[in-house]
């Protein structure tokens, strides 16, 4: 069965960076894309960016353009999202989600979420 | 960015009621509209994609319609497990924006 398993909760200080992993299983990793979505407490879902796991192409939200990096390791069927220059407003649950690379796009499987807390 | 606005933000209903949630896009997105259900503390679950296609395994009481800028999610007969929050999302372009959510509560 398809599974996306994310790395554990993180506590970071303002200005630091965090890297969250998302290990895929149960499907051919390179045939799909991985998106990253976050949700701050009581807020709506917010899209951050995505990577085509096959060719490595990425696209980021302009909001995070200068401090986000999304990568993947095809040998490990794992995607990564690194966010730098953290501030308190980045405290949120971060999700990875699988997407087909052809239209219509949809996030059919999600990781369990990784809580990132930014606090001094 | 395309803005997605849901209405209402919350509603109260009873088991067995028919419920409709609306999602409006700030510009035309054709039929590139998905609906997700999220229970408290849980992961979002895909219900409907491409405006009206039911995701595999989702009960048939859920249905979607619309195109262009106006879309609806309908639950034909509310069940106890349906009292939670629903989000629409456009998949027409990046950034993939979500609505603010509609919370369905027990009357």
């Amino acid at each position: 069965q398809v599974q996306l398993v994310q790395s554990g909760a993180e506590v970071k200080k303002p200005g630091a960076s965090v890297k969250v992993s998302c290990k895929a299983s149960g499907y051919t990793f390179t045939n799909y894309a991985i998106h990253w979505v976050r949700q701050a407490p009581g807020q709506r879902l917010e899209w951050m960016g995505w990577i085509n796991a096959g060719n490595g192409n990425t696209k980021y939200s302009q909001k995070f353009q200068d401090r986000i990096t999304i990568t993947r390791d095809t040998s490990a069927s794992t995607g990564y999202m690194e966010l730098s220059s953290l501030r308190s407003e980045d405290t949120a649950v971060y999700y990875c989600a699988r997407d087909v690379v052809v239209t219509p796009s949809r996030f059919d499987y999600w990781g369990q979420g990784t809580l990132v807390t930014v606090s001094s | 960015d395309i803005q997605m606005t849901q209405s209402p933000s919350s509603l109260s209903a009873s088991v067995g009621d028919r419920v409709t949630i609306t999602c409006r896009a700030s510009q035309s997105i054709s039929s590139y509209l998905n609906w997700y259900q999220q229970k408290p503390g849980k992961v979002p679950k895909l219900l409907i994609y491409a405006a009206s296609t039911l995701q595999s395994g989702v009960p048939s009481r859920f249905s979607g319609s619309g195109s262009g800028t106006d879309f609806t999610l309908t639950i034909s007969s509310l069940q106890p497990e349906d009292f939670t929050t629903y989000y629409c999302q456009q998949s027409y372009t990046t950034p993939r924006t979500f609505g603010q959510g509609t919370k369905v509560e027990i009357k």
Side-chain angles (χ1 to χ4, degrees):
Chain A
Q1 72 284 19
V2 174
Q3 277 193 303
L4 298 174
V5 179
Q6 298 183 220
S7 49
E10 303 262 13
V11 179
K12 296 291 183 181
K13 294 194 181 306
S17 298
V18 68
K19 190 171 186 177
V20 181
S21 67
C22 172
K23 182 169 178 57
S25 61
Y27 71 97
T28 302
F29 181 68
T30 51
N31 287 352
Y32 292 82
I34 294 288
H35 291 250
W36 289 90
V37 176
R38 76 177 187 180
Q39 188 171 37
Q43 300 300 307
R44 73 176 72 188
L45 298 159
E46 181 176 33
W47 182 83
M48 302 179 72
W50 73 291
I51 186 166
N52 181 320
N55 61 23
N57 287 347
T58 57
K59 187 78 179 288
Y60 303 134
S61 168
Q62 202 155 13
K63 177 176 178 177
F64 304 103
Q65 182 73 42
D66 57 349
R67 57 189 190 107
I68 189 174
T69 304
I70 296 175
T71 57
R72 96 293 191 215
D73 178 347
T74 57
S75 66
S77 296
T78 301
Y80 302 90
M81 187 283 299
E82 184 170 21
L83 190 63
S84 62
S85 303
L86 290 169
R87 35 218 190 221
S88 58
E89 310 89 87
D90 294 318
T91 294
V93 176
Y94 290 74
Y95 296 101
C96 61
R98 189 185 82 159
D99 186 13
V100 298
V101 293
V102 294
T103 58
S105 162
R106 68 269 194 186
F107 302 168
D108 59 352
Y109 287 91
W110 295 63
Q112 83 276 18
T114 297
L115 175 62
V116 175
T117 303
V118 183
S119 174
S120 55
Chain B
D1 297 0
I2 297 176
Q3 308 302 316
M4 306 300 295
T5 304
Q6 291 179 231
S7 60
S9 293
S10 65
L11 64 90
S12 296
S14 302
V15 172
D17 283 355
R18 180 183 181 90
V19 165
T20 298
I21 298 168
T22 296
C23 179
R24 175 164 288 175
S26 60
Q27 66 183 75
S28 177
I29 56 170
S30 185
S31 295
Y32 295 102
L33 191 283
N34 304 324
W35 289 98
Y36 299 88
Q37 177 193 67
Q38 188 179 31
K39 298 185 177 181
K42 299 297 186 183
V43 177
K45 174 186 175 182
L46 177 65
L47 297 177
I48 287 169
Y49 64 94
S52 61
T53 302
L54 198 65
Q55 172 69 357
S56 175
V58 173
S60 59
R61 63 180 181 273
F62 292 93
S63 64
S65 65
S67 67
T69 60
D70 295 313
F71 302 86
T72 58
L73 172 70
T74 299
I75 309 171
S76 61
S77 178
L78 267 176
Q79 298 302 299
E81 60 269 29
D82 301 337
F83 290 94
T84 189
T85 302
Y86 297 85
Y87 293 94
C88 63
Q89 176 222 16
Q90 62 83 13
S91 60
Y92 180 75
T93 189
T94 55
R96 297 270 200 270
T97 42
F98 291 84
Q100 82 278 17
T102 295
K103 187 173 184 179
V104 178
E105 299 175 304
I106 299 175
K107 184 183 287 185

